[in-house]
Amino acid sequence: MKFGGTSVGTPQRMKEVVKLISDADQKIVVLSAMSGTTNQLYEISDYLYKKNPVGANENINILEEKYYKHVDELYTTEEYKEKTRQFLKQEFDYIRSFTKGIFTMFEEKIIVGQGEILSTNMVTNYLLEQGYNAALLPALDFMRTDKNSEPDLEYIREKLKITLAEMPNKDIYITQGFICRNAYGEVDNLQRGGSDYSASLIGAAIEASEIQIWTDIDGMHNNDPRYVENTSPVQTLSFEEASELAYFGAKILHPTCVQPAKFAGIPVKLLNTMDPTAPGTVISNKTQRGSIKAVAAKDNITAINITSSRMLLAYGFLRKVFEIFETYKTSIDMVTTSEVGVSVSIDNTSNLSQILNELKKLGTVSVDVDMCIICVVGDLDWHNIGFESLATETMKDVPVRMISYGGSNHNISFLVAAADKKKALQSLSNHLFKNN
Ligand code: ASP
Ligand code: MG
């Protein structure tokens, strides 16, 4: 069971989490940092990079104050209040120790991981105070990435087994999301929002019966509720559909998270801490045939078009184009081609000018900025008739820059101007999910 930052965002929320984790089933609980904390830790690191220890200290003090305030609200006994105060003092003194001496990426990795150390210790202390049979599993003892910065599932599996054996027969094990060690044993993390990934890896490592990701929304919605009215949760998704949606903007799940669960064949449930009995979304290896499931949008997309008569009847042209993006470590989201041209979309523009310089050696280049990918996900197997025309028909009042279909069996994507995003999403909802 994984609980995100808002689910542990206040002492009250922490108590709600404890209600959800204290049934009879034995479990590992992965916690994020209290919401806002990781951002503040990055801010503190930023001051230290800028060689401003005074600024860093001011921010550390503000954060520390906030945490001390939680103590009286969370615990009832003087014993646990004192125990937690001592823990917090030790923690914040440790964070303060980085304001002296050199500050590099290594120190930053340690600092930004303290949010999870704080939240997990606080919740474990609360469980122990309340008399639960609980223990804290230090994630740094078993979470590890390999030399390619990919999680090392073999290592995680073995080490987690040993760590669990050292603390046998607990009902509830609490551990930190996000943080890990790298192949050299140094403190590292699974990138922003990585706690979902931690949960999926741990679930796969212990061959859990299911992985539950608890947030504050009742599952993955069939459209973005921030832009569209009358969205509803999707009850079932295949792993492929869920990854597409997560990658293309459904904020509820970290895009890499589903991979370990998918390989291990373990269902992932998305559940709502505010409405724990709601069915949520179940992501599994099963594909539900014959329906379009959901729509998501990815912002800040740039489209690049290269046309060249040299492409006509030539081979190797696309390789040259793609190699340029590879050289500048820029990943491509969408691709469309014609006999004399290719359009691609990217979301990372930090090397755009170099990329354009190189592309101009190959052909005539044009760029459209402020675009947005609208991704329609469902059973879009090419043998099915009608779904692609239905989706396209829905976009009839929206200028479309690119359409991509056939790359997989469960996606059709449209590239539109960011200004048309809301209209496109609403129109898709109206036409595709009107019976929901
Ligand atoms: N606390 C980390 C972050 O804010 C990890 C997570 O929340 O999943 O990115
Ligand atoms: Mg988070």
Side-chain angles (χ1 to χ4, degrees):
M1 296 172 84
K2 177 261 171 176
F3 294 87
T6 41
S7 301
V8 291
T10 63
Q12 193 48 44
R13 306 283 335 132
M14 287 181 172
K15 290 180 188 177
E16 297 295 328
V17 165
V18 167
K19 281 186 204 154
L20 294 168
I21 63 179
S22 50
D23 61 5
D25 298 334
Q26 196 185 31
K27 57 183 68 70
I28 298 182
V29 177
V30 176
L31 301 180
S32 293
M34 295 178 85
S35 51
T37 298
T38 311
N39 285 347
Q40 277 161 308
L41 293 169
Y42 272 102
E43 181 75 3
I44 289 162
S45 304
D46 201 35
Y47 277 103
L48 293 174
Y49 271 128
K50 298 194 163 100
K51 299 195 176 31
N52 179 355
V54 178
N57 265 315
E58 274 171 22
N59 279 281
I60 296 170
N61 294 345
I62 293 169
L63 193 62
E64 183 177 27
E65 271 311 300
K66 228 159 83 180
Y67 273 84
Y68 277 114
K69 283 200 189 113
H70 298 322
V71 171
D72 283 322
E73 225 180 301
L74 191 55
Y75 307 97
T76 40
T77 62
E78 206 35 60
E79 182 194 348
Y80 274 90
K81 285 183 189 177
E82 195 41 40
K83 192 173 160 182
T84 307
R85 274 191 213 106
Q86 271 174 25
F87 159 74
L88 291 177
K89 172 155 189 346
Q90 199 186 312
E91 257 300 297
F92 282 95
D93 284 347
Y94 180 53
I95 297 173
R96 252 187 294 272
S97 74
F98 292 95
T99 59
K100 305 174 186 91
I102 54 159
F103 194 78
T104 68
M105 220 175 69
F106 299 107
E107 285 75 26
E108 176 181 50
K109 293 270 170 71
I110 297 173
I111 288 196
V112 299
Q114 296 309 308
E116 274 70 13
I117 304 279
L118 286 161
S119 64
T120 49
N121 272 278
M122 285 167 71
V123 170
T124 306
N125 279 351
Y126 178 72
L127 284 163
L128 294 174
E129 182 189 51
Q130 299 296 310
Y132 291 106
N133 180 25
L136 182 63
L137 296 174
L140 296 182
D141 286 0
F142 59 87
M143 286 301 277
R144 197 162 177 129
T145 53
D146 61 19
K147 291 207 167 86
N148 301 317
S149 301
E150 295 294 333
D152 187 341
L153 193 56
E154 258 331 291
Y155 181 97
I156 296 169
R157 193 175 283 138
E158 267 167 47
K159 276 294 186 152
L160 182 54
K161 201 188 259 171
I162 297 169
T163 313
L164 284 165
E166 283 162 3
M167 294 175 237
N169 305 323
K170 300 291 177 188
D171 299 327
I172 308 168
Y173 293 94
I174 303 284
T175 192
Q176 297 89 17
F178 182 54
I179 55 174
C180 64
R181 289 186 190 274
N182 62 20
Y184 312 99
E186 296 147 354
V187 173
D188 206 333
N189 59 62
L190 299 171
Q191 321 229 328
R192 295 308 308 267
S195 298
D196 290 350
Y197 203 10
S198 305
S200 180
L201 288 163
I202 291 170
I206 61 165
E207 289 167 37
S209 54
E210 66 180 36
I211 296 162
Q212 300 179 351
I213 308 283
W214 289 80
T215 62
D216 49 6
I217 175 165
D218 44 357
M220 212 180 267
H221 276 229
N222 58 9
N223 205 328
D224 193 328
R226 290 168 302 179
Y227 300 95
V228 172
E229 286 164 22
N230 301 324
T231 65
S232 55
V234 185
Q235 300 221 333
T236 61
L237 283 172
S238 69
F239 283 116
E240 288 78 10
E241 291 166 340
S243 339
E244 301 258 11
L245 286 172
Y247 183 70
F248 288 108
K251 286 279 172 295
I252 180 166
L253 193 66
H254 194 269
T256 50
C257 155
V258 292
Q259 291 309 328
K262 178 183 163 185
F263 291 134
I266 301 170
V268 176
K269 275 191 189 162
L270 307 179
L271 296 160
N272 184 1
T273 40
M274 308 287 179
D275 186 7
T277 54
T281 300
V282 184
I283 305 166
S284 72
N285 276 324
K286 292 191 205 92
T287 314
Q288 195 197 332
R289 289 276 166 199
S291 69
I292 292 187
K293 299 288 186 48
V295 176
K298 191 174 181 196
D299 299 323
N300 298 319
I301 303 293
T302 299
I304 304 167
N305 175 261
I306 309 108
T307 36
S308 166
S309 51
R310 274 191 282 162
M311 190 175 162
L312 193 67
L313 301 176
Y315 48 81
F317 184 82
L318 288 177
R319 181 183 56 76
K320 288 185 198 131
V321 170
F322 289 147
E323 232 166 35
I324 293 169
F325 289 89
E326 185 184 351
T327 306
Y328 292 100
K329 293 189 164 51
T330 300
S331 72
I332 294 170
D333 285 328
M334 281 175 79
V335 188
T336 55
T337 63
S338 83
E339 191 45 50
V340 289
V342 51
S343 283
V344 301
S345 83
I346 60 171
D347 69 346
N348 173 2
T349 51
S350 45
N351 292 316
L352 184 62
S353 57
Q354 291 101 310
I355 290 173
L356 296 178
N357 278 336
E358 296 288 327
L359 288 174
K360 281 178 191 161
K361 296 175 187 162
L362 299 180
T364 310
V365 180
S366 68
V367 177
D368 291 290
V369 295
D370 290 329
M371 308 295 284
C372 149
I373 296 176
I374 306 279
C375 158
V376 179
V377 162
D379 180 17
L380 288 154
D381 188 319
W382 72 274
H383 296 97
N384 291 344
I385 307 170
F387 285 140
E388 49 291 29
S389 61
L390 185 63
T392 315
E393 166 72 14
T394 301
M395 305 293 279
K396 68 174 187 290
D397 297 324
V398 180
V400 175
R401 170 71 183 78
M402 287 165 73
I403 301 179
S404 174
Y405 170 72
S408 76
N409 280 335
H410 27 73
N411 165 300
I412 174 166
S413 297
F414 299 94
L415 189 72
V416 304
D420 291 322
K421 166 179 167 174
K422 197 176 159 163
K423 186 174 171 191
L425 288 176
Q426 187 67 60
S427 174
L428 284 163
S429 247
N430 295 347
H431 289 87
L432 301 176
F433 312 125
K434 55 181 171 239
N435 299 327
N436 286 8

